[in-house]
Amino acid sequence: MRANNMIETVNKKNYTLSSMRKLFLSAFFLFLPFLLINELYTCAEFGFSDNDVSKFKDVPHNIQVANTGSSHGCAFDYSNYPDLTSFNFFLPNQSINYDYHIFNQYADRFLPDSVLFILVSYGQVDGIQPESQYEKIEKRYYQFLDGKNIEGYSFWKFIRFRFFAAAFDSHPFRRIRTELPKMLHGKNKADRIISREQFESEVTRPIIEKTFTSAFPRQGQEGIDYNRNYLMKMLSMCKERNIHPVIITTPLPKITNDRFDEIAPDFFDVFKQYREDTLSLAKKQGIDTVWLDYSHSEIFADNYEYFNDGSHLSGKGARFFTKLVMDEIARLGIIKQE
């Protein structure tokens, strides 16, 4: 009798273990397709072209020259300077507060006497990125930034964006279908070549207006104070770490500047005053910096071969511009070139 009870107990344990094993295997095989979809989505969303945050896994130590910036940061191409340890920290649609947060995370990787190019685009003068725009790109910062450098950080968002990103996208398969093949085939917008006629047809008033009304709508003095606050934070951090800050505005074709002037006739006066006031404030705080403004440079104004759209340099334009800037800071004694 006792032996029968023991056998029955063992059989129950074996049945329970078998059931648990089947349950585990069923859950695993049910979850496996999602893991695959999520991995494909992550590669498509965060691993393609300019939106590639995987590059932040390879931020070098002993950086000698680097730049911040939104999509206009594609103006820098350090490939012709292999002897310099360099890095391009730009990300598309990035506002200046995240230029600061990213620099804050990696500032200890800069060498003393290194150079940081701080990009200030038109949208980062008196414009502020709307919350609705930030929500579209917020998830990428959870892929590489520490919580202290993410505004409004929450552990729930960390779990959601890092491990279940596809589940919270309303069209994950569309993203996979459109972006992943481009990444696999190595297509990059920087390689785009268009005719002057096509270029001019694309730089329309509605497209330029989008900067002022959607991406970074102008907010007057509030926007100026907001942007200058983060710009001064970066300048101060450079001073503390013996890094040479160089504020820079990248080139734009004449047709784009003409469109800006039509839409907001006061903007360039505001921009000029913003530059002068920022440099004056930096001087009062003992921060040694310069502002290299190439936005109206005649070298680029009508040279459409250097652009791939109305505001972004092509690969050829980026290599030419980077040499121009490196030569200029060498002339100013900010950096020594062999």
Side-chain angles (χ1 to χ4, degrees):
M1 184 72 177
R2 189 173 180 180
N4 289 336
N5 287 338
M6 289 179 65
I7 291 172
E8 185 177 345
T9 301
V10 170
N11 288 336
K12 284 181 179 180
K13 286 183 178 180
N14 288 337
Y15 176 78
T16 301
L17 289 172
S18 177
S19 297
M20 290 178 65
R21 192 179 299 113
K22 288 179 180 178
L23 182 63
F24 174 79
L25 289 174
S26 297
F28 175 77
F29 284 112
L30 284 172
F31 197 57
L32 188 61
F34 171 77
L35 291 176
L36 177 60
I37 292 169
N38 196 66
E39 184 63 25
L40 289 172
Y41 175 86
T42 300
C43 290
E45 179 72 4
F46 306 118
F48 169 67
S49 189
D50 296 343
N51 205 34
D52 181 7
V53 296
S54 66
K55 67 182 181 181
F56 291 97
K57 297 176 182 177
D58 301 311
V59 178
H61 291 269
N62 302 321
I63 294 173
Q64 295 169 282
V65 60
N67 64 273
T68 65
S70 60
S71 56
H72 297 111
C74 69
F76 282 93
D77 182 343
Y78 304 107
S79 60
N80 289 329
Y81 298 88
D83 295 333
L84 288 176
T85 303
S86 59
F87 196 78
N88 194 328
F89 287 99
F90 92 98
L91 283 172
N93 300 315
Q94 183 152 280
S95 53
I96 198 167
N97 57 324
Y98 270 96
D99 286 338
Y100 164 73
H101 291 310
I102 291 174
F103 179 44
N104 187 49
Q105 175 146 321
Y106 296 105
D108 60 353
R109 302 197 184 190
F110 284 71
L111 285 175
D113 285 325
S114 55
V115 175
L116 177 67
F117 295 112
I118 302 174
L119 269 66
V120 175
S121 303
Y122 287 174
Q124 297 170 329
V125 176
D126 58 0
I128 299 177
Q129 187 177 60
E131 188 68 23
S132 59
Q133 291 293 317
Y134 171 64
E135 288 174 353
K136 295 177 182 178
I137 60 174
E138 177 185 21
K139 54 190 172 184
R140 71 186 182 193
Y141 296 115
Y142 279 83
Q143 308 304 312
F144 68 97
L145 283 180
D146 297 335
K148 65 180 181 180
N149 288 311
I150 298 177
E151 297 188 5
Y153 174 85
S154 76
F155 182 69
W156 159 241
K157 286 184 177 180
F158 171 78
I159 296 298
R160 170 184 168 184
F161 293 144
R162 284 291 291 271
F163 305 108
F164 299 96
F168 292 92
D169 190 310
S170 56
H171 301 288
F173 294 105
R174 180 187 301 173
R175 175 67 70 182
I176 294 170
R177 186 174 65 253
T178 58
E179 300 297 343
L180 196 59
K182 297 178 186 177
M183 183 182 73
L184 294 175
H185 293 292
K187 293 183 179 180
N188 191 306
K189 192 178 180 182
D191 298 322
R192 185 178 183 226
I193 299 174
I194 59 176
S195 66
R196 181 186 180 115
E197 292 74 20
Q198 184 182 355
F199 181 93
E200 293 181 347
S201 69
E202 290 183 1
V203 185
T204 61
R205 183 180 177 119
I207 290 175
I208 301 303
E209 269 185 328
K210 185 179 178 182
T211 298
F212 285 133
T213 60
S214 177
F216 294 93
R218 301 181 71 190
Q219 301 295 329
Q221 191 60 45
E222 180 186 356
I224 289 172
D225 293 341
Y226 176 86
N227 288 303
R228 183 178 288 124
N229 174 52
Y230 283 104
L231 180 54
M232 294 306 300
K233 281 184 175 184
M234 284 190 282
L235 293 176
S236 297
M237 195 184 306
C238 286
K239 180 184 177 183
E240 292 169 4
R241 295 176 176 272
N242 195 24
I243 298 169
H244 300 289
V246 177
I247 310 171
I248 197 159
T249 303
T250 55
L252 290 170
K254 182 178 182 300
I255 187 173
T256 299
N257 282 318
D258 288 345
R259 293 282 190 269
F260 269 103
D261 199 30
E262 292 170 9
I263 295 162
D266 69 318
F267 176 74
F268 291 118
D269 288 335
V270 172
F271 182 32
K272 180 182 178 182
Q273 193 64 50
Y274 182 75
R275 289 198 314 268
E276 293 175 354
D277 291 347
T278 299
L279 291 173
S280 176
L281 181 58
K283 186 176 181 180
K284 288 179 181 178
Q285 295 185 9
I287 300 171
D288 187 15
T289 188
V290 295
W291 193 316
L292 302 180
D293 180 12
Y294 291 92
S295 61
H296 287 73
S297 170
E298 292 184 2
I299 299 173
F300 295 90
D302 292 310
N303 279 321
Y304 297 94
E305 62 181 308
Y306 289 139
F307 296 92
N308 61 22
D309 61 25
S311 63
H312 301 94
L313 293 177
S314 62
K316 178 181 179 180
R319 290 186 291 275
F320 178 80
F321 175 70
T322 303
K323 184 179 187 308
L324 193 70
V325 172
M326 295 296 284
D327 288 347
E328 179 62 13
I329 64 172
R331 186 188 70 79
L332 293 171
I334 296 173
I335 194 172
K336 294 180 180 179
Q337 289 191 32
E338 297 295 332

